[in-house]
Amino acid sequence: MESGVGDVVNLHFGWFDNAAEPIAVAQERATRELLAWLPVPPARLLEVGAGVGTTLALLIERGYDARGITPDGSQIDFMRDRYGKDFPVEPVRFEDMALPAEKFDCILFQESGQYIPLEALFTRAAMLLRPGGQLIMCDEIMPGEAESGESLHSLVQLKSVAAEHGFALRHARDQLARAAPTVALMLAATSRYREDLRQLLEVSDEQIDALDESNRKYQSKYASGKYGYVSLCFSFAGAQADQAGSSQPGSETPGVFKDIKH
Ligand SMILES: C[S@@+](CC[C@H](N)C(=O)[O-])C[C@H]1O[C@@H](n2cnc3c(N)ncnc32)[C@H](O)[C@@H]1O
């Protein structure tokens, strides 16, 4: 409704240049900027958490040998309805993925990494990526140390687990200021479309209130610096480094939000 295209195009935050622009424009920018870190096609890509398939379809259109996964059967049905029954998506959790015949050149987590325990995420990624491959992600995150009771990953811990598995951080960007308007927009939207949400999605007032409450909690944690949003790009040294538990690549990584270029 908000994007005016009558369809769900993306399930991720927008990266806004200004808070007044349409969410669809900001979401499309987020994908475009994230994909700028990809290797050039043709390359074997895995998109983890393919959502409604928009990014995966774009990758295929750009000439990548790309496939996607999501554990959500309704998303699989939605993608197959939209893109055809041969759309290359599988209903599986990343942590349960079988080893492919050929390893991937790149694994992409566009706001799906926060749902996967860190140890499982980097263990599986090390099994699925070829040496020299890339792991690219963007997500909400806690910039500081891990805390019990918090559902987001700690960036400090993420970098440490990544390094233990042979992943060296190449780029890190703080996207919070650009992503945060998404939450304000969601709060405005639940107010504007409350009646439609109740009727079309059959959700209750209590559920909408709980969503608003959760969004306000996120807003205050963004404001206090407890929660953040980053985009990250790692390169994988290879299984040998992983087995040796090498943490050396991580020691060369930049400060939390500094970007380094090669
Ligand atoms: C916020 S949505 C993002 C969807 C899509 N990447 C996008 O940007 O529009 C999170 C996605 O992660 C998927 N997901 C959640 N847990 C997962 C897991 N354990 N393994 C793989 N995907 C998972 C969800 O089903 C959903 O597709």
Side-chain angles (χ1 to χ4, degrees), residues 102-247:
E102 202 185 327
K103 293 197 174 185
F104 293 99
D105 298 303
C106 181
I107 305 180
L108 180 68
F109 297 82
Q110 190 173 23
E111 295 185 14
S112 54
Q114 65 174 277
Y115 306 107
I116 305 167
L118 285 177
E119 190 60 39
L121 191 157
F122 285 101
T123 301
R124 188 64 49 163
M127 290 163 62
L128 297 174
L129 269 180
R130 68 161 174 80
Q134 276 174 277
L135 187 156
I136 295 172
M137 60 165 63
C138 65
D139 224 326
E140 293 173 286
I141 203 145
M142 289 204 303
E145 299 283 350
E147 269 180 49
S148 65
E150 291 290 354
S151 56
L152 295 182
H153 291 319
S154 140
L155 184 56
V156 175
Q157 196 182 14
L158 184 148
K159 290 204 293 184
S160 155
V161 176
E164 280 165 23
H165 288 278
F167 288 84
L169 185 59
R170 297 296 179 205
H171 304 281
R173 286 188 189 154
D174 178 359
Q175 306 284 4
L176 179 61
R178 305 168 77 201
T182 309
V183 180
L185 195 141
M186 286 209 289
L187 280 163
T190 50
S191 161
R192 196 174 316 143
Y193 302 114
R194 179 172 280 258
E195 199 44 43
D196 296 298
L197 289 170
R198 278 164 22 115
Q199 285 183 18
L200 296 173
L201 298 184
E202 295 176 15
V203 291
S204 64
D205 273 325
E206 289 72 28
Q207 286 173 303
I208 300 172
D209 290 342
L211 174 63
D212 284 349
E213 184 51 35
S214 166
N215 277 329
R216 277 192 285 270
K217 205 170 76 189
Y218 269 70
Q219 273 186 323
S220 77
K221 290 189 178 183
Y222 293 149
S224 71
K226 185 159 188 138
Y227 286 178
Y229 187 113
V230 289
S231 53
L232 305 168
C233 177
F234 294 90
S235 63
F236 177 51
Q240 224 175 0
D242 184 36
Q243 277 157 19
S246 165
S247 60

Side-chain angles (χ1 to χ4, degrees), residues 11-12 48-49 51 70-71 75 93-95 110-112 115-116:
L11 302 180
H12 56 253
V48 179
T70 171
Q75 291 174 8
R93 297 188 318 162
F94 181 65
E95 44 286 44
Q110 190 173 23
E111 295 185 14
S112 54
Y115 306 107
I116 305 167

